[in-house]
Amino acid sequence: MHSRSRPVRSALILLCALTLTACGAKVVEPAAEKPSAGGHYPVTVENCGVRTTYDKAPERVVTNDVGIAEIMFALGLEDRMAGYVAPDYRTGRTDPGREEVPWQDGYRKVKWLSKKEITKELVLDARADLVFAGWNYGFGEGNGLTPAALKKLGVGSYVLTESCRNGTGGSGVTGGAARGVMPPLEALYTDLETLGRIFHVEDRARRLVADFRQQVARAQAGVPKDGRAPRVFLYDDGQDKPVTAGAFAGPHDIITKAGGDHVMKDLKDSWVTVGWESVVERDPEVIVVNNYGPVSAEQKKEFLLSYPPLANVSAVKNKQIFVLDYVDLVESPRNPSAIAALARYLNGVRDH
């Protein structure tokens, strides 16, 4: 994947093999709550270990990637956005404004600035006062787009909490410090609550977090308490070596809270590259495929089922492969519904 920019194995155009309806996606959109100043400002927040004081709510936010845009839409902050950047294959649909996509009104209302990578030039052209992106989800030393570089241009930054660098080494595919400082769902809730303070929409943020927690609790209530957790591997992309999720990427909580045993839970990073031998050794009973790019979900499934080194892996032998969209699996407001969808699938696996 590129500007997100997890490790990229190929450029991709998404063919969604699992619609939101099939996933049982449920999105609650609280009533609009307009940001207001009052006596709220200045407000100081901490984001990825950096404290920042806001004298007022940002007015021209540019976001990078789909899950990040949808966090803003879920908070009702479309009026505070100058635009979003998202390649086609990241949206979960060729047109993110189609009816089956959550927050389609936000996609239609806010300008789609680019289907390529975010750049400083794009940010300046949009007259942005804040860029909401993540390390390797738009921010990176390689492209010169960092919070420090933007600060020199008079532009603020907010870093996606899933992508916070934790300074424990270079297990991430792109090198440098590993990413992740808290469980993935807590990262989502943290961003919603922190942005709620920045934009003075705390009540809406609290309602969203409460609703998401309830969705997850309902999904967990349907998981058999005496059942063994099926071993689950997340397959993102890659043939020579697979890209997968560690303990700090969204799929970890999606898998574990759906009643699965995440086989890569010992990797203290977000998105990482591993060897196929480690997958074979851990023998997953279910493989979750991340759906995005010119390599469709169906093509990824065909590869997994025909790749000789995986022939004796339980998930391959029993053809237990489940598909979720990219935006279900990165930090986004779709994570709770993805948990519910996977929980239903795993319950069916246990029944066989």
Side-chain angles (χ1 to χ4, degrees), residues 84-241:
Y84 69 94
V85 176
D88 280 343
Y89 63 77
R90 299 275 176 81
T91 64
R93 304 289 183 279
T94 13
D95 175 7
R98 285 174 56 185
E99 289 298 329
E100 67 268 32
V101 178
W103 303 288
Q104 64 266 21
D105 288 343
Y107 281 116
R108 290 170 179 162
K109 184 175 183 179
V110 179
K111 187 175 181 180
W112 195 346
L113 296 173
S114 176
K115 299 179 184 181
K116 298 181 181 179
E117 300 203 5
I118 189 169
T119 63
K120 284 190 287 189
E121 292 73 22
L122 180 151
V123 168
L124 292 173
D125 286 347
R127 296 182 290 111
D129 56 3
L130 183 79
V131 173
F132 181 9
W135 286 112
N136 294 336
Y137 289 71
F139 291 139
E141 281 80 6
N143 62 2
L145 189 74
T146 65
L150 289 174
K151 186 175 182 179
K152 291 179 180 178
L153 299 173
V155 181
S157 301
Y158 185 90
V159 178
L160 186 76
T161 295
E162 182 189 79
S163 77
C164 291
R165 287 174 166 168
N166 63 34
T168 58
S171 59
V173 221
T174 54
R179 292 174 291 163
V181 294
M182 64 179 68
L185 275 181
E186 291 305 314
L188 171 64
Y189 302 154
T190 295
D191 283 334
L192 289 168
E193 290 169 348
T194 305
L195 291 163
R197 291 188 62 210
I198 292 172
F199 291 94
H200 201 9
V201 289
E202 294 97 322
D203 289 346
R204 185 177 179 117
R206 281 192 290 267
R207 289 196 298 270
L208 282 167
V209 171
D211 179 71
F212 291 157
R213 289 187 188 276
Q214 288 173 4
Q215 286 186 50
V216 173
R218 285 195 296 270
Q220 291 185 291
V223 175
K225 300 298 182 287
D226 55 352
R228 185 183 56 79
R231 298 182 302 277
V232 183
F233 171 68
L234 183 283
Y235 176 59
D236 178 286
D237 193 18
Q239 295 193 357
D240 294 337
K241 290 185 176 182

